[in-house]
Amino acid sequence: MSETLAARLESVFGAEAVVPDAVPCVAPATEAEWVEALRLARADGLAVAPKGFGSKRGWRRPERVDLALTTKRWRGVVSYEPGDGTLSARTGTSMAELARAVAAGGHQLTPDVPFPENASLGGVIAAGQSGFDRLRCGPVRNHVLGTRVALADGTIARSGGQLVKNVTGYDLHRLYCGSQGTLCVLLEASLRLFPAPEERLLLRTTADDREGALAAAREILTLPLRHHAVCAHDLDGAWTVVVALAGRAEVLAEERRLVGE
């Protein structure tokens, strides 16, 4: 069945769209191809699994997958509005590419995920993935302003918009965050951005043991400042507390004093 399906996919979408994988996999390059692929799967009763770069394949293992749909050929920034602090992009775009695009306009992207070159926008949203900046910025669902998705029958639907202030309709785009591809295929997403900090600062101290490190971390978390991240970890047998701060230089000077005390 897989060989027959792969041949059929090649005849419909072209050889360049069929991606080698454990199951038949197609990489649509246009919205019409996304619709056609989902309609084909629905007509044949195929179980579909959307994916980006495959870095989160182990996060959820579907019981059955007949057809994989990848966003590898569905990439690019749709719009970037520095004045509004918003970005819209196709979901196959890597987080690293998006971060570089907004840095040129004085913004930073959240979440600050590890290995951003291997993480697609759609994969991060579908997995509900947080980054190193979770403590300061919160979960990714807080910053998704809107989405454009393809439903199981190929219907294209939109939720939210491209503005921070959006009060119309249901916030289905927040429901899609963390749904891991079970509700739709994410095609496009709009994100809220943050101003890029003037400076970044890492402070480190050591502790005698785990309890001491956690006590120091808890005390630092009570300070009246906007923590970027606070990490307590055992590094080669020595417990270390690292505090990450970011912002304007004059603010960081005061925050550094508070943490030092």
Side-chain angles (χ1 to χ4, degrees), residues 24-187:
C25 179
V26 65
T30 66
E31 188 173 286
E33 289 185 354
W34 281 105
V35 172
E36 180 62 26
L38 287 165
R39 287 178 176 172
L40 182 152
R42 183 179 178 87
D44 291 2
L46 304 178
V48 174
K51 70 172 188 173
F53 300 158
S55 62
K56 301 171 185 62
R57 182 173 293 182
W59 288 35
R60 182 183 74 89
R61 296 187 181 277
E63 295 182 2
R64 173 189 159 201
V65 178
D66 301 318
L67 174 63
L69 299 178
T70 176
T71 57
K72 285 186 175 181
R73 297 203 304 160
W74 185 251
R75 310 177 69 165
V77 174
V78 175
S79 67
Y80 169 41
E81 301 294 340
D84 294 331
T86 60
L87 168 82
S88 296
R90 291 177 172 176
T91 50
T93 315
S94 74
M95 296 297 285
E97 182 179 344
L98 295 178
R100 289 191 293 267
V102 302
H107 289 97
Q108 70 174 14
L109 185 72
T110 187
D112 182 14
V113 299
F115 308 109
E117 291 285 359
N118 298 326
S120 68
L121 173 61
V124 167
I125 294 174
Q129 184 181 11
S130 291
F132 187 66
D133 55 352
R134 165 73 183 244
L135 182 61
R136 179 161 182 168
C137 298
V140 64
R141 70 185 300 272
N142 289 0
H143 310 297
V144 178
L145 304 175
T147 54
R148 185 175 176 85
V149 306
L151 303 179
D153 62 353
T155 300
I156 301 297
R158 180 182 291 278
S159 172
Q162 295 180 326
L163 299 176
V164 173
K165 188 174 182 180
N166 177 56
V167 294
T168 303
Y170 296 105
D171 289 345
L172 291 176
H173 48 283
R174 297 185 186 274
L175 182 65
Y176 300 147
C177 296
S179 64
Q180 302 203 24
T182 59
L183 301 178
C184 63
V185 178
L186 292 162
L187 299 181

